[in-house]
mmCIF file of all heavy atoms in Angstrom:
data_model
loop_
_atom_site.group_PDB
_atom_site.id
_atom_site.type_symbol
_atom_site.label_atom_id
_atom_site.label_comp_id
_atom_site.label_asym_id
_atom_site.label_seq_id
_atom_site.Cartn_x
_atom_site.Cartn_y
_atom_site.Cartn_z
ATOM 1 N N LEU B 513 11.290 -8.453 62.068
ATOM 2 C CA LEU B 513 11.009 -7.028 61.906
ATOM 3 C C LEU B 513 10.250 -6.574 63.238
ATOM 4 O O LEU B 513 10.572 -5.527 63.825
ATOM 5 C CB LEU B 513 10.149 -6.609 60.739
ATOM 6 C CG LEU B 513 10.986 -6.511 59.471
ATOM 7 C CD1 LEU B 513 9.904 -6.563 58.219
ATOM 8 C CD2 LEU B 513 11.798 -5.295 59.554
ATOM 9 N N PHE B 516 12.709 -6.560 65.932
ATOM 10 C CA PHE B 516 13.455 -5.343 65.740
ATOM 11 C C PHE B 516 12.778 -4.128 66.279
ATOM 12 O O PHE B 516 13.276 -3.253 66.987
ATOM 13 C CB PHE B 516 13.942 -5.245 64.259
ATOM 14 C CG PHE B 516 14.854 -4.147 64.069
ATOM 15 C CD1 PHE B 516 16.100 -4.102 64.539
ATOM 16 C CD2 PHE B 516 14.339 -3.033 63.456
ATOM 17 C CE1 PHE B 516 16.973 -3.016 64.271
ATOM 18 C CE2 PHE B 516 15.258 -1.886 63.157
ATOM 19 C CZ PHE B 516 16.583 -1.842 63.616
ATOM 20 N N LEU B 668 14.153 -4.231 51.908
ATOM 21 C CA LEU B 668 14.305 -4.226 53.357
ATOM 22 C C LEU B 668 14.166 -2.793 53.864
ATOM 23 O O LEU B 668 13.476 -2.703 54.911
ATOM 24 C CB LEU B 668 15.824 -4.633 53.499
ATOM 25 C CG LEU B 668 16.303 -4.665 55.023
ATOM 26 C CD1 LEU B 668 15.584 -5.787 55.753
ATOM 27 C CD2 LEU B 668 17.849 -4.843 55.078
ATOM 28 N N ASN B 669 14.600 -1.855 53.194
ATOM 29 C CA ASN B 669 14.463 -0.414 53.812
ATOM 30 C C ASN B 669 13.099 0.085 53.737
ATOM 31 O O ASN B 669 12.758 0.784 54.621
ATOM 32 C CB ASN B 669 15.440 0.455 53.033
ATOM 33 C CG ASN B 669 16.913 0.407 53.553
ATOM 34 O OD1 ASN B 669 17.143 -0.460 54.437
ATOM 35 N ND2 ASN B 669 17.721 1.271 53.026
ATOM 36 N N THR B 670 12.323 -0.473 52.717
ATOM 37 C CA THR B 670 10.879 0.035 52.777
ATOM 38 C C THR B 670 10.129 -0.646 54.073
ATOM 39 O O THR B 670 9.405 0.009 54.652
ATOM 40 C CB THR B 670 10.210 -0.483 51.427
ATOM 41 O OG1 THR B 670 10.946 0.106 50.311
ATOM 42 C CG2 THR B 670 8.824 -0.011 51.317
ATOM 43 N N MET B 671 10.532 -1.848 54.300
ATOM 44 C CA MET B 671 9.929 -2.487 55.460
ATOM 45 C C MET B 671 10.344 -1.759 56.696
ATOM 46 O O MET B 671 9.574 -1.478 57.609
ATOM 47 C CB MET B 671 10.378 -3.914 55.533
ATOM 48 C CG MET B 671 9.652 -4.850 54.537
ATOM 49 S SD MET B 671 9.928 -6.541 54.822
ATOM 50 C CE MET B 671 11.481 -6.771 54.111
ATOM 51 N N LEU B 672 11.701 -1.525 56.843
ATOM 52 C CA LEU B 672 12.100 -0.844 58.022
ATOM 53 C C LEU B 672 11.678 0.591 58.045
ATOM 54 O O LEU B 672 11.279 0.981 59.208
ATOM 55 C CB LEU B 672 13.751 -0.823 57.956
ATOM 56 C CG LEU B 672 14.555 -2.060 58.156
ATOM 57 C CD1 LEU B 672 15.921 -1.900 57.883
ATOM 58 C CD2 LEU B 672 14.266 -2.561 59.550
ATOM 59 N N PHE B 673 11.576 1.272 56.956
ATOM 60 C CA PHE B 673 10.932 2.639 57.035
ATOM 61 C C PHE B 673 9.499 2.602 57.514
ATOM 62 O O PHE B 673 9.011 3.307 58.313
ATOM 63 C CB PHE B 673 10.962 3.259 55.676
ATOM 64 C CG PHE B 673 11.035 4.774 55.703
ATOM 65 C CD1 PHE B 673 12.111 5.525 56.024
ATOM 66 C CD2 PHE B 673 9.768 5.411 55.395
ATOM 67 C CE1 PHE B 673 12.076 6.940 56.138
ATOM 68 C CE2 PHE B 673 9.856 6.794 55.510
ATOM 69 C CZ PHE B 673 10.764 7.530 55.890
ATOM 70 N N SER B 674 8.733 1.557 56.931
ATOM 71 C CA SER B 674 7.347 1.513 57.340
ATOM 72 C C SER B 674 7.217 1.084 58.805
ATOM 73 O O SER B 674 6.358 1.673 59.605
ATOM 74 C CB SER B 674 6.669 0.331 56.475
ATOM 75 O OG SER B 674 5.525 -0.004 57.020
ATOM 76 N N LEU B 675 8.135 0.350 59.328
ATOM 77 C CA LEU B 675 8.046 -0.003 60.723
ATOM 78 C C LEU B 675 8.355 1.152 61.647
ATOM 79 O O LEU B 675 7.803 1.238 62.692
ATOM 80 C CB LEU B 675 9.167 -1.180 61.001
ATOM 81 C CG LEU B 675 9.289 -1.715 62.414
ATOM 82 C CD1 LEU B 675 8.104 -2.525 62.825
ATOM 83 C CD2 LEU B 675 10.574 -2.524 62.549
ATOM 84 N N LEU B 676 9.374 1.906 61.134
ATOM 85 C CA LEU B 676 9.862 3.031 62.176
ATOM 86 C C LEU B 676 9.446 4.535 61.891
ATOM 87 O O LEU B 676 9.532 5.343 62.781
ATOM 88 C CB LEU B 676 11.360 3.032 62.037
ATOM 89 C CG LEU B 676 12.147 1.731 62.369
ATOM 90 C CD1 LEU B 676 13.557 1.723 62.038
ATOM 91 C CD2 LEU B 676 11.894 1.221 63.763
ATOM 92 N N HIS B 677 8.753 4.675 60.761
ATOM 93 C CA HIS B 677 8.604 6.125 60.238
ATOM 94 C C HIS B 677 7.564 6.764 61.253
ATOM 95 O O HIS B 677 6.913 6.124 61.995
ATOM 96 C CB HIS B 677 8.306 6.177 58.822
ATOM 97 C CG HIS B 677 6.900 5.891 58.488
ATOM 98 N ND1 HIS B 677 6.389 4.609 58.622
ATOM 99 C CD2 HIS B 677 5.941 6.582 57.996
ATOM 100 C CE1 HIS B 677 5.097 4.639 58.292
ATOM 101 N NE2 HIS B 677 4.768 5.785 57.860
ATOM 102 N N VAL B 711 18.426 4.071 60.757
ATOM 103 C CA VAL B 711 18.465 2.724 60.477
ATOM 104 C C VAL B 711 18.674 2.486 58.904
ATOM 105 O O VAL B 711 19.488 1.592 58.512
ATOM 106 C CB VAL B 711 17.230 2.020 60.870
ATOM 107 C CG1 VAL B 711 17.244 0.523 60.524
ATOM 108 C CG2 VAL B 711 17.223 1.927 62.496
ATOM 109 N N CYS B 712 17.919 3.121 57.999
ATOM 110 C CA CYS B 712 17.891 2.814 56.661
ATOM 111 C C CYS B 712 19.334 3.333 56.149
ATOM 112 O O CYS B 712 19.829 2.657 55.217
ATOM 113 C CB CYS B 712 16.740 3.547 55.971
ATOM 114 S SG CYS B 712 15.183 2.772 56.293
ATOM 115 N N THR B 715 21.830 0.497 56.900
ATOM 116 C CA THR B 715 21.630 -0.669 56.043
ATOM 117 C C THR B 715 22.244 -0.349 54.623
ATOM 118 O O THR B 715 22.771 -1.169 54.088
ATOM 119 C CB THR B 715 20.099 -1.188 55.889
ATOM 120 O OG1 THR B 715 19.392 -0.024 55.664
ATOM 121 C CG2 THR B 715 19.693 -1.907 57.249
#
Side-chain angles (χ1 to χ4, degrees):
Chain B
L513 280 166
F516 182 69
L668 178 69
N669 279 6
T670 306
M671 287 189 280
L672 288 170
F673 201 82
S674 167
L675 179 73
L676 304 172
H677 78 296
V711 168
C712 288
T715 50

